[in-house]
Amino acid sequence: MIKEITAHDLNTEKFITEKVNEIRAAVGSGMAINALSGGVDSSVVTMLGHRALGTRLRTVFIQNGLMREGEPKRVADIFKKLGVTVEIVDAQKEFLEALKGITDPEQKREAITQTFYKKVFGRIVRESGAKHLLQGTILTDVDETVAGIKRQHNVFAQLGIDPQETFGYQILEPLIQLRKDGVRMTGKALGLPEEMFNRIPFPGPALAARIIGEVTQEKLDIVRKATAIVEELLGGQGAFQYMAILHDDRVTGMRDGKRDFGRQIEVRCWDSIDAREARPTKLPFELLETMASIILKKVPGVVSVTYNIASKPPSTIEAV
Amino acid sequence: MIKEITAHDLNTEKFITEKVNEIRAAVGSGMAINALSGGVDSSVVTMLGHRALGTRLRTVFIQNGLMREGEPKRVADIFKKLGVTVEIVDAQKEFLEALKGITDPEQKREAITQTFYKKVFGRIVRESGAKHLLQGTILTDVDETVAGIKRQHNVFAQLGIDPQETFGYQILEPLIQLRKDGVRMTGKALGLPEEMFNRIPFPGPALAARIIGEVTQEKLDIVRKATAIVEELLGGQGAFQYMAILHDDRVTGMRDGKRDFGRQIEVRCWDSIDAREARPTKLPFELLETMASIILKKVPGVVSVTYNIASKPPSTIEAV
C-alpha cells in the first residue's frame, strides 16, 4: 500500500531532500537513466534525478514523431538552461512503421507503448549499462491500473529485459506518493519554469491520440499544425485542457469553386477540476469563428471545423 | 434561354392563372402525375397541378425510408386538409438495398436518384398511363446544371422510358422561371400553410445526406432521432438551415463506468441569405449544451456531440 502525500501535507523542500537522498542511496556510484517526454511528471523526475546524480543521470528524449510542433528542441532548450543535458533520439521511422495500418484505438496505444519500451527505450537501457531506471509514475497511474482503465505491464518485460536477468535492475519511482497538484508544486520548487510545471495535460500516445483512424505522416503534419493554432489561441482562457482532433471521415467542402472532399478538425476545450467530470468551456463565439478561419486557412486539406459541446460523461476528454 | 421572373416582378395571381391554363392546355383531357417530396418546390407544383386538373393529377409520395420523423403522414395530412389526396408508396426496402455498401457521397446520391427515377417512380409513371409529368424544377436547378455542380440526366432515360417511345410524353416545369423566394410567394398565394412554404431547405437525398459513410437502417434511425431533436430546439432561432449529421468515425466515451466506442453527432446551424455563403449561427452556449445533453440521453449509441464553427466557403452547408 502506497502512502499518499496530499498537496496540502506536502513540504516540498523536505520531500525533495528525501527523494534526492533515496536516489543517491539506491544508485550508489552507478548510473541511472530516464526518458523525458516533456510532460510534468517526467520533467520533475529529471530534475530530481539531476539534483541527486548530476551527469550520472542520462536523460533521453525520444523523438517519436508524434510530438507537438518544435517539441524536442523546446524541451531540450529549457533543460539546457537548467544545466541538464537532454539527449534527443530520433525514432520517428520506428513509430510510424509500428502504427501502419492500425485503426483500433487500443491497438494504437499498444503499438506506441511496445515501440517505446521494447524497441527504442529498451534498447537504449540495455546498451547503456545503467541498472537504475527513474520513472515518473504518480499515484493516479497506480489507481488507474487497479481500476483497470489503463493496463499495466511488467516494466522489465516491456523493456525486453528477461525476468531471469532482472536481478540488479531497479526502478525508482520518486513521485509515486503524489498526485498531479503535488507534482506541480515539486516542479516549481525544483526551479522548473511555469510553462513546464503548469502545462496542460497531454496524452501518452501524444498526437496519435488526436488522430481518429490510421496514423500517417500526412495526418500527423495536419494535426500538429492544428494543435499549434488551438494551443496558441486557447492558452489564455483558463481552461483545464484543449486540443485539436483530426477526424478520419471526409466531409464535403469547396475550394476554388469546386467540390473537395476534405478533412475535419474537431476542437475540444474543457473545464474540469480533476478530469473525472468535464464540461466544454463557454468560449466566446467570435473566438471560435476566428480559430476556425485560421485553421481553414493555414492547415492544408481541412474544409470543416467543429467545437465539442458534450460533457464528460458520457464523453471522454480525448477522442481516441 | 429561360426568362427569369424575379420575386420583385412576380404577380402571384397572374402567374398562377397563367400556369394553371398552361397545364390545362398541355394535358387536355388526359392525366398527369407528379412526385411530392414535401419540399417547397414539389408542394407548390402539387397545388398548381391540383388547381389545374383536380383528380386528374395523381400525386405520389415515395416513402424512401430516408425521410424525417413522421414525414409521410405529416405531408399527406397537410395536403388532405387542402383537398389533395396524396398516395404514399412504400419503397424503403428498395432504397436501403440500393445504398448497401456505398460510402462515396457521389455514388450515394446517384444510387438514390437511380432508385427513385428508374426503379420506383419510373415504374409508377409507366404503369399509370399518364403521359404528362409535373416537375418542380426551378431556375437555380438549371443554373447549377449549367455550372456542372449537379449532374442533370435526361429525365426520360432516368425514368426508363425508351427515347424511341418518348413521343407523347411531356414534362411540365411550371416553376422554371422562378427562384426559391418566388416559389415561396407562389406557395403562400396557393394557400399552402407557412410550415410548407417557409420550410428550411432539405436535401434531395434526405437523411442519406446526413450520414457519413454507408447508409444503414440503424444509422438512419439514429440520425432521424437526432434530427428531430435539433429541428425542435433550433426551429425558433431564425436560422437559414440547421441539421444533425451522423459521423462514421467512432470516438471514445464512457457508459456505466466503462469505455465505449460510440458515435458522434455534428450539429450545423447556418446564417445565410441564399446558401452561396453561410456562417454558423451564434447560438447561446446554454442552448448548445442543452441540445448536446438531450441528444446524448435520447439517441442510442451517441457519446459525443459537436457544433460546426466553420463558414462556407470552404465548408459547404451539407457534409455529404
Side-chain angles (χ1 to χ4, degrees), chain A residues 34-78:
Chain A
N34 81 311
L36 170 65
S37 71
V40 188
D41 305 339
S42 70
S43 293
V44 172
V45 162
T46 300
M47 291 305 290
L48 275 177
H50 180 76
R51 193 170 283 198
L53 307 171
T55 53
R56 286 189 295 125
L57 174 71
R58 184 174 165 198
T59 296
V60 295
F61 183 102
I62 293 165
Q63 161 60 302
N64 56 16
L66 313 173
M67 303 280 167
R68 283 173 281 186
E69 211 165 78
E71 187 74 356
K73 191 176 168 341
R74 199 189 72 87
V75 173
D77 285 352
I78 287 169

Side-chain angles (χ1 to χ4, degrees), chain A residues 100-114:
Chain A
K100 207 170 176 175
I102 299 178
T103 57
D104 179 85
E106 279 303 315
Q107 286 178 27
K108 218 190 277 184
R109 284 172 184 267
E110 185 65 18
I112 293 166
T113 306
Q114 289 291 330

Side-chain angles (χ1 to χ4, degrees), chain A residues 214-241:
Chain A
E214 189 187 0
V215 176
T216 64
Q217 187 63 57
E218 186 210 357
K219 285 167 145 184
L220 280 166
D221 292 342
I222 292 173
V223 80
R224 187 178 287 121
K225 275 210 178 71
T227 299
I229 295 166
V230 168
E231 292 194 348
E232 194 187 326
L233 280 169
L234 303 188
Q237 296 293 319
F240 177 78
Q241 200 170 348

Side-chain angles (χ1 to χ4, degrees), chain A residues 106 247-249 252-254 259 264 266 279 281-282 285-286 289 292 305-309 314 316 319-320, chain B residues 106 247-249 252-254 259 264 266 279 281-282 285-286 289 292 305-309 314 316 319-320:
Chain A
E106 279 303 315
H247 280 248
D248 200 30
D249 284 339
T252 307
M254 295 285 272
R259 270 196 170 206
Q264 184 177 69
E266 175 187 348
R279 287 177 69 177
T281 306
K282 291 178 179 49
F285 212 96
E286 290 65 30
E289 275 198 302
V305 183
T306 63
Y307 184 64
N308 168 61
I309 54 171
T316 45
V320 171
Chain B
E106 278 303 313
H247 280 248
D248 200 31
D249 285 339
T252 307
M254 294 285 272
R259 271 195 169 205
Q264 183 177 69
E266 175 187 348
R279 287 177 69 176
T281 306
K282 290 178 178 49
F285 213 95
E286 291 65 31
E289 275 198 303
V305 184
T306 62
Y307 185 63
N308 168 60
I309 55 171
T316 45
V320 171

